[in-house]
């Protein structure tokens, strides 16, 4: 099998020596081309070239969720075609690796490589659904190009936290769970809309839901991990359905304490709940509008400020080796 391995050399949990071992293991079973990314967006360009070239049968992403997101967007540049496009393999090398772990892959890069090779030998694969976010027609964001996400997107408070974490990493801080917790608290202290939200959720055939402070869009469960603990914002979300939404309309000190506790004790059967919590399951099309510009993130990548984002849940978008 002809395969492309896209390696992020800045992946936080793999050393150069470990990457060499993994490359050797994969090359023993595959006709392998290895390319190391050199700039933001490079993984997307490499995957697009592989998809358009017509000869590559498998693209393997060695890195964190950001690398996986870029590879997915490269593969799907011209739209979903699971049977015609290369399959996707993932070897987790980031700090959290939500997508890989949600697929059931080991969080250790060496173990995950073994699992990938076993799946290839057994011809084990699944076709999963993905989320697509784009600028909303008729708004100032209509020119924003569509982009795929694999496990989550966020509009409002949680995206602000992601932006703060990125700023700290650019200053040389390591991406740790303690760093995320600190940035949650700092975002809460400066959040201007925590008592009166600015987000409205609109979907066909339903009344709008107004005054949300944050909205988390999930393509799978769990939403994230704190160490080895899975956190479920939308427990019913699945790669086999469309998109789920958790919206919160209040973030007072008491509400934050309550919902933080519910998230930390969440399970596949029970997520956040209460009169200020909105949970929606299996949405194919909806739009989030905000009266004020708000931070927006996809798969843990902060994408700046937006006023409006239109979401589409696409079933059977991508073939994954697992």
């Amino acid at each position: 099998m002809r395969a492309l391995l896209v390696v992020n050399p800045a992946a936080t949990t793999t050393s150069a020596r470990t990457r060499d071992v993994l490359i050797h293991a994969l090359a023993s079973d595959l006709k392998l081309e290895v390319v190391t990314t050199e700039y933001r967006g490079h993984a997307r360009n490499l995957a697009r070239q592989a998809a358009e070239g017509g000869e590559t049968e498998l693209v393997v992403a060695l890195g964190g969720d950001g690398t996986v997101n870029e590879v997915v967007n490269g593969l799907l540049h011209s739209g979903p075609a699971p049977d015609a496009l290369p399959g996707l393999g993932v070897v987790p090398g980031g700090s959290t690796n939500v997508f890989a772990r949600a697929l059931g892959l080991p969080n250790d890069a060496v173990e995950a490589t073994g699992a990938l090779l076993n799946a290839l030998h057994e011809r084990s694969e699944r076709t999963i659904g993905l989320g697509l976010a784009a600028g909303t027609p008729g708004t100032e964001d209509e020119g924003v190009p569509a982009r795929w996400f694999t496990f989550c997107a966020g509009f409002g408070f949680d995206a602000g936290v992601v932006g703060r974490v990125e700023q700290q990493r650019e200053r040389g801080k390591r991406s740790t769970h303690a760093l995320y917790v600190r940035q949650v608290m700092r975002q809460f202290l400066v959040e201007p809309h925590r008592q009166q939200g600015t987000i409205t959720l609109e979907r066909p055939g339903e009344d709008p839901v107004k005054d949300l402070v944050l909205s988390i869009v999930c393509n799978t469960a769990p939403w994230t991990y704190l160490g080895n603990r899975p956190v479920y914002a939308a427990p019913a979300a699945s790669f086999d359905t469309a998109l789920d939404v958790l919206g919160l309309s209040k973030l007072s000190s008491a509400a934050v304490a309550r919902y933080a506790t519910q998230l930390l004790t969440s399970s596949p059967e029970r997520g956040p709940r209460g009169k200020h919590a909105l949970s929606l399951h299996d949405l194919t099309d909806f739009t989030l509008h905000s009266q004020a510009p708000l931070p927006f993130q996809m798969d843990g990548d902060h994408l700046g400020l937006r006023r409006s984002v239109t979401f589409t849940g696409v079933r059977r978008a991508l073939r994954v080796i697992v």
Side-chain angles (χ1 to χ4, degrees):
M1 178 180 288
R2 185 182 295 273
L4 169 67
L5 175 64
V6 179
V7 180
N8 179 0
T12 55
T13 58
T14 56
S15 65
R17 182 176 180 180
T18 299
R19 291 193 290 271
D20 288 343
V21 171
L22 302 182
I23 291 169
H24 180 77
L26 292 169
S28 65
D29 279 33
L30 300 167
K31 189 173 182 180
L32 190 69
E33 178 186 2
V34 181
V35 182
T36 299
T37 59
E38 299 176 357
Y39 53 86
R40 190 182 182 112
H42 194 185
R44 181 186 64 243
N45 295 339
L46 292 169
R48 178 182 176 181
Q49 292 167 9
E52 294 175 346
E55 296 182 353
T56 302
E57 299 169 80
L58 172 68
V59 177
V60 180
L62 171 51
D65 288 311
T67 304
V68 173
N69 180 278
E70 285 198 16
V71 168
V72 166
N73 275 277
L75 289 173
L76 299 184
H77 176 78
S78 298
D83 296 329
L85 292 171
L88 172 69
V90 179
V91 177
S95 58
T96 310
N97 307 307
V98 178
F99 178 68
R101 295 162 83 177
L103 284 170
L105 291 169
N107 197 35
D108 176 81
V110 175
E111 292 181 11
T113 300
L116 174 61
L117 291 173
N118 287 338
L120 289 169
H121 290 157
E122 297 171 4
R123 299 189 177 185
S124 175
E125 60 184 43
R126 64 182 292 194
T127 302
I128 63 170
L130 296 172
L132 183 66
T136 305
T139 72
E140 64 186 59
D141 292 319
E142 67 179 341
V144 176
R147 178 166 168 172
W148 297 91
F149 61 97
T150 64
F151 64 91
C152 85
F155 191 42
F157 182 86
D158 86 297
V161 173
V162 169
R164 286 178 170 275
V165 170
E166 285 194 5
Q167 289 177 350
Q168 293 300 311
R169 293 187 65 183
E170 289 172 359
R171 295 170 184 167
K173 300 286 187 180
R174 291 186 63 249
S175 179
T176 64
H177 301 296
L179 176 63
Y180 274 88
V181 172
R182 288 196 300 272
Q183 301 315 311
V184 167
M185 298 309 299
R186 289 174 181 172
Q187 181 67 23
F188 172 74
L189 292 174
V190 302
E191 175 59 53
H193 309 296
R194 67 187 188 212
Q195 294 291 346
Q196 181 65 44
T198 66
I199 302 171
T200 297
L201 185 152
E202 296 180 350
R203 49 189 168 136
E206 301 286 347
D207 292 335
V209 180
K210 299 181 178 180
D211 301 330
L212 298 174
V213 179
L214 68 77
S215 44
I216 296 171
V217 182
C218 293
N219 186 51
T220 189
W223 165 52
T224 190
Y225 291 83
L226 286 176
N228 292 321
R229 179 191 290 274
V231 179
Y232 296 87
S238 167
F239 287 128
D240 298 320
T241 61
L243 301 173
D244 283 26
V245 177
L246 170 67
L248 299 180
S249 58
K250 190 175 183 180
L251 281 182
S252 63
S253 298
V256 166
R258 179 168 63 254
Y259 293 125
T261 300
Q262 290 178 356
L263 283 168
L264 291 173
T265 59
S266 60
S267 71
E269 293 76 35
R270 195 168 177 84
R273 57 215 171 269
K275 66 178 181 179
H276 299 298
L278 169 75
S279 295
L280 300 172
H281 175 57
D282 199 16
L283 302 185
T284 302
D285 299 283
F286 62 96
T287 297
L288 296 174
H289 300 283
S290 174
Q291 301 166 27
L294 293 179
F296 179 58
Q297 66 89 11
M298 294 171 63
D299 286 348
D301 186 10
H302 187 265
L303 300 178
L305 300 178
R306 304 279 177 86
R307 282 185 180 266
S308 186
V309 186
T310 294
F311 292 88
T312 306
V314 182
R315 295 179 177 85
R316 297 186 57 78
L318 183 67
R319 190 165 47 90
V320 181
I321 310 302
V322 65

